[in-house]
């Protein structure tokens, strides 16, 4: 753990090496179940999934070299955002989804974490506007959250306890994405990097995605 983060962390939950070992395993499972199609489109859910996605695609590329029937891989990206501090606002903003590019494709959604499951369901709903050939969902983490809506990904790296995690691209108000291990944030750090949604109404609006509506601009969705 880098020195500047030491005092902010309760503990390391999953070290980087263990994350990468698990992704190697997941990638093998994914390729085994891919054989009928010769093409797959990985849809990376930004920002939290960028490291999981990049590690996953590196492993898939490496495995493909030795395969008698390699799988062609395409990539797409979408930005989903719904958190303020450590709570889901319940409003999932979806930006930059290339619906036309997903038509008829075998999709594999790449997420870092399923917590309440709201982001996952919102994205799957949005994907119904196009007609993918198939949709599967890989999440590095599935949290045992009391707010879980029951959405179960097809591939899960680790099932984790109900604690707020940062690192390996997961953030707390945009901090800690550059931490290589998955760590539990302590209460002092939560307070230190907290964004006040009452004293900063604009931040609250932006985070909940309602700014455009409030400003009188018609919502794009
Ligand atoms: C986080 C996380 C998942 C989602 C999971 O994203 O990366 O995408 O929330 O939570 P849920 O199951 O309760 O919906 P966030 O909105 O923080 O955006 P980010 O990926 O840019 O950090
Ligand atoms: Mn996310
Ligand atoms: Mg986040």
């Amino acid at each position: 753990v880098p020195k500047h983060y030491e005092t902010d962390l309760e503990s390391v939950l999953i070290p980087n090496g263990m994350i990468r070992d698990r992704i190697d395993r997941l990638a093998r499972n994914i390729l085994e179940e891919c054989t009928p199609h010769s093409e797959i489109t990985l849809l990376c859910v930004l920002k939290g999934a960028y490291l999981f996605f990049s590690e996953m695609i590196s492993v898939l590329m490496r495995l493909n070299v030795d395969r008698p029937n390699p799988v062609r891989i395409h990539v797409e990206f979408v930005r989903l955002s719904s958190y303020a501090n450590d709570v889901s606002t319940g409003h999932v903003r979806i930006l930059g989804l290339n619906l036309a590019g997903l038509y008829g494709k075998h999709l594999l959604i790449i997420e870092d974490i399923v917590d309440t499951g709201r982001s996952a369901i919102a994205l799957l709903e949005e994907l119904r506007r196009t007609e993918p050939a198939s949709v599967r969902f890989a999440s590095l983490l599935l949290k045992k959250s009391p707010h879980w809506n029951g959405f179960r990904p097809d591939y899960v790296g680790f099932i984790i306890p109900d604690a707020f995690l940062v690192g390996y691209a997961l953030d707390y108000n945009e901090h800690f994405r550059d931490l290589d291990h998955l760590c539990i944030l302590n209460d002092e750090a939560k307070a230190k990097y907290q964004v006040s949604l009452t004293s900063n109404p604009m931040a609250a609006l932006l985070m909940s995605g309602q700014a455009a509506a409030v400003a009188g601009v018609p919502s794009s969705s």
Side-chain angles (χ1 to χ4, degrees):
V1 171
K3 287 206 173 36
H4 60 288
Y5 285 152
E6 266 171 13
T7 57
D8 296 329
L9 306 172
E10 178 85 40
S11 60
V12 174
L13 186 72
I14 311 174
N16 184 275
M18 202 180 279
I19 299 169
R20 294 166 65 145
D21 286 351
R22 185 68 186 115
I23 296 172
D24 190 275
R25 193 75 248 148
L26 283 177
R28 286 166 199 274
N29 294 344
I30 287 166
L31 270 193
E32 276 162 28
E33 292 172 30
C34 257
T35 14
H37 339 296
S38 57
E39 301 197 12
I40 181 175
T41 299
L42 298 197
L43 176 59
C44 175
V45 181
L46 297 170
K47 299 180 185 174
Y50 78 88
L51 284 179
F52 177 37
F53 172 84
S54 92
E55 181 66 18
M56 173 65 78
I57 202 153
S58 310
V59 177
L60 290 172
M61 285 160 65
R62 197 160 14 90
L63 293 173
N64 252 339
V65 173
D66 301 322
R67 271 172 76 90
N69 50 345
V71 174
R72 274 172 210 273
I73 302 170
H74 303 265
V75 299
E76 289 288 343
F77 298 85
V78 63
R79 170 100 167 93
L80 259 58
S81 159
S82 61
Y83 273 70
N85 299 321
D86 56 354
V87 293
S88 163
T89 59
H91 180 95
V92 181
R93 271 193 299 162
I94 302 181
L95 298 170
L97 189 63
N98 175 17
L99 281 173
L102 302 179
Y103 177 82
K105 300 286 164 56
H106 291 286
L107 301 186
L108 178 63
I109 298 167
I110 304 287
E111 251 291 27
D112 51 310
I113 184 167
V114 170
D115 185 326
T116 66
R118 283 171 175 154
S119 301
I121 293 296
L123 178 57
L124 290 170
E125 279 283 302
E126 188 65 15
L127 286 173
R128 297 218 309 236
R129 282 152 47 84
T130 183
E131 286 166 43
S134 67
V135 180
R136 281 181 302 159
F137 201 107
S139 184
L140 180 61
L141 307 167
L142 173 62
K143 188 186 279 193
K144 288 183 178 170
S145 164
H147 309 292
W148 185 48
N149 65 9
F151 173 75
R152 206 175 277 281
D154 303 288
Y155 302 96
V156 172
F158 302 92
I159 295 176
I160 57 159
D162 183 27
F164 196 79
L165 292 194
V166 294
Y168 203 75
L170 280 75
D171 74 308
Y172 177 76
N173 293 334
E174 298 299 333
H175 297 276
F176 306 103
R177 293 200 199 268
D178 62 331
L179 174 62
D180 51 359
H181 313 296
L182 276 160
C183 298
I184 298 177
L185 201 59
N186 66 32
D187 291 340
E188 292 76 35
K190 281 191 195 176
K192 185 161 119 193
Y193 300 107
Q194 191 162 31
V195 173
S196 166
L197 302 182
T198 47
S199 73
N200 186 348
M202 212 48 216
L205 292 169
L206 285 170
M207 282 176 161
S208 68
Q210 301 300 304
V214 170
V217 179
S219 163
S220 57
S221 56

